[in-house]
């Protein structure tokens, strides 16, 4: 079924996409392509999922944010393999029977009771740690599922920063981390990036990491 879809990945996206670590953390500047990569990852994992009673979760800080960021593009990309979709409850069922859930961390109850094969946590720094630790992480246990954490760089300590540091340290074989900037998106004109650097006085996405 996955052969019906064709995905074009940036160089950095392919590196992360094909990496074999169970838990991946990506800190990336805006317009770098982290959301598009996570969208493709959700579809690929849902098609790969061996159990119809399991699913793939994409969660953002709020449900409205999740719908705005992910819903339309996810529908467009996965259209050849979609059996049904419901925008009101944020669920897409693929032709193999596996569902992709679009959720917001502002409603933790909507995250409970799932059996997950994979999860994408977007802007984790803005999500309460217990949402991951008490709800999403246990939902991955049955299938020993994986997760992708993505976000833009911010100063200060957070669980997102802790996991980024863990992946960079190499101390845990299940974790890996990467840091990319807007300039790592080869589709963006380098002159555009240079001009923005001049205006802002710093390279997009490189500060505070």
């Amino acid at each position: 079924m996955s052969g019906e879809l064709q995905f074009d990945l940036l160089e950095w996206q392919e590196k992360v996409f094909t990496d074999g670590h169970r838990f991946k953390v990506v800190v990336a500047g805006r317009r770098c392509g982290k959301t598009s990569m996570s969208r493709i990852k959700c579809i690929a994992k849902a098609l790969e999922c061996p159990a119809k009673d399991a699913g793939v979760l994409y969660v953002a800080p709020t449900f409205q944010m999740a719908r705005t960021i992910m819903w339309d593009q996810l529908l467009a990309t996965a259209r050849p393999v979609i059996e049904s979709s419901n925008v009101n409850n944020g669920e897409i069922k693929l032709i193999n029977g596996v569902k992709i859930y679009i959720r917001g961390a502002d409603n933790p109850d909507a995250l409970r009771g799932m059996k997950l094969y994979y999860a994408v946590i977007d802007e984790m720094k803005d999500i309460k740690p217990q949402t991951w630790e008490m709800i999403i992480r246990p939902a991955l246990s049955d299938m020993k599922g994986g997760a992708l954490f993505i976000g833009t760089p911010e100063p200060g300590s957070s669980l997102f920063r802790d996991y980024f540091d863990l992946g960079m340290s190499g101390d845990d074989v299940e974790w890996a981390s990467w840091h990319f900037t807007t300039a790592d998106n080869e589709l963006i004109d380098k002159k555009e990036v240079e001009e923005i650097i001049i205006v802002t006085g710093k390279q997009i996405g490189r500060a505070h990491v």
Side-chain angles (χ1 to χ4, degrees), residues 7 34 38 45 48 50 61 68 79 95 97-98 103-104 109 114 118 122 148 168 181 184 192 202:
F7 300 131
K34 59 187 179 297
S38 67
K45 283 295 182 179
E48 174 188 302
T68 300
R79 191 170 304 281
I95 56 178
V98 175
R103 294 288 188 271
D109 288 340
M114 294 182 181
Y118 202 78
D122 198 347
L148 171 66
M168 292 297 289
T181 71
D184 288 305
E192 285 290 311
K202 62 185 179 181

Side-chain angles (χ1 to χ4, degrees), residues 22 28 48 58 109 152 169 203:
R22 182 180 182 187
E48 174 188 302
Y58 169 87
D109 288 340
T152 50
S169 72
Q203 185 164 343

Side-chain angles (χ1 to χ4, degrees), residues 108-132:
D109 288 340
L111 302 174
R112 299 184 186 278
M114 294 182 181
K115 176 181 176 180
L116 296 178
Y117 183 62
Y118 202 78
V120 172
I121 298 91
D122 198 347
E123 298 297 355
M124 186 186 180
K125 65 185 184 301
D126 298 322
I127 295 175
K128 293 179 179 179
Q130 55 264 37
T131 301
W132 160 252

Side-chain angles (χ1 to χ4, degrees), residues 145-158:
L148 171 66
F149 306 84
I150 59 175
T152 50
E154 292 283 346
S157 61
S158 66

Side-chain angles (χ1 to χ4, degrees), residues 48-63:
E48 174 188 302
C49 180
K52 290 184 179 181
D53 64 338
V56 170
L57 171 69
Y58 169 87
V59 61
T62 69
F63 182 55

